[in-house]
Amino acid sequence: MYNFIQKFHSGWAYLALLLLVIAVANSLIGLFSKKEFTAKDRKIAIFALIGTHTQLLVGLILYFVSQRGFKLFEMGVGEVMKNADYRLTAVEHPLINIIAITLITIGWSKHKKLATSESKFKTFSIFYTLGLLLILSRIPWSMWL
């Protein structure tokens, strides 16, 4: 079961990142071209939101069943924090990605209260881009590629 969850988390990451990149690009294009916000734009943003939330859910499950997640703390917090690889896996990757997905969710929630297309695209551009950058900053590239 663990291997399936780990492979799913790794594989789904490609899809989640692709959806998020498409949503960011779409919001920036919409913002700078001053186009009207349509149902297609909303769907692109919601698919990115769903993709990242799915990744978070699977990641949290993996965190609590993996030897490289929460169980690293059995070694002691001091030992985990001294080792860059352990710290990335046990602390930085989950924490920064939770913050990133929270920002993406805030962007989604805020857009619903806005009236103009420009403000909707601007909100998505800011929050989804920040989320994407945070996610990219904490991907364990050595384990992923």
Side-chain angles (χ1 to χ4, degrees):
M1 184 69 163
Y2 166 77
N3 286 333
F4 173 78
I5 296 170
Q6 192 275 331
K7 296 219 182 295
F8 184 82
H9 184 64
S10 294
W12 189 265
Y14 291 103
L15 179 61
L17 279 174
L18 177 64
L19 292 169
L20 191 53
V21 167
I22 290 169
V24 167
N26 183 65
S27 66
L28 290 170
I29 290 168
L31 179 64
F32 292 120
S33 68
K34 303 208 184 294
K35 72 176 204 152
E36 197 63 33
F37 189 85
T38 65
K40 178 191 78 116
D41 301 308
R42 186 186 61 76
K43 288 176 186 171
I44 290 171
I46 191 71
F47 284 135
L49 179 78
I50 292 168
T52 57
H53 276 103
T54 302
Q55 182 69 355
L56 175 63
L57 178 63
V58 174
L60 288 173
I61 293 167
L62 188 61
Y63 184 74
F64 288 103
V65 300
S66 168
Q67 294 298 319
R68 296 191 55 84
F70 185 71
K71 291 187 180 176
L72 279 174
F73 286 108
E74 291 174 358
M75 296 171 47
V77 175
E79 288 300 313
V80 170
M81 298 308 277
K82 287 179 193 173
N83 183 304
D85 184 45
Y86 292 164
R87 187 177 58 244
L88 174 65
T89 305
V91 180
E92 295 171 358
H93 177 72
L95 180 62
I96 295 301
N97 286 323
I98 288 169
I99 293 168
I101 294 169
T102 300
L103 287 170
I104 292 166
T105 305
I106 290 169
W108 173 260
S109 297
K110 286 181 74 77
H111 105 277
K112 295 189 281 187
K113 299 176 180 107
L114 301 172
T116 66
S117 292
E118 181 182 5
S119 61
K120 289 180 185 225
F121 282 125
K122 186 176 182 180
T123 298
F124 281 129
S125 295
I126 292 168
F127 286 94
Y128 277 46
T129 300
L130 286 173
L132 176 62
L133 292 174
L134 286 174
I135 289 169
L136 290 173
S137 77
R138 292 296 113 203
I139 290 176
W141 294 105
S142 63
M143 292 170 35
W144 203 37
L145 298 175

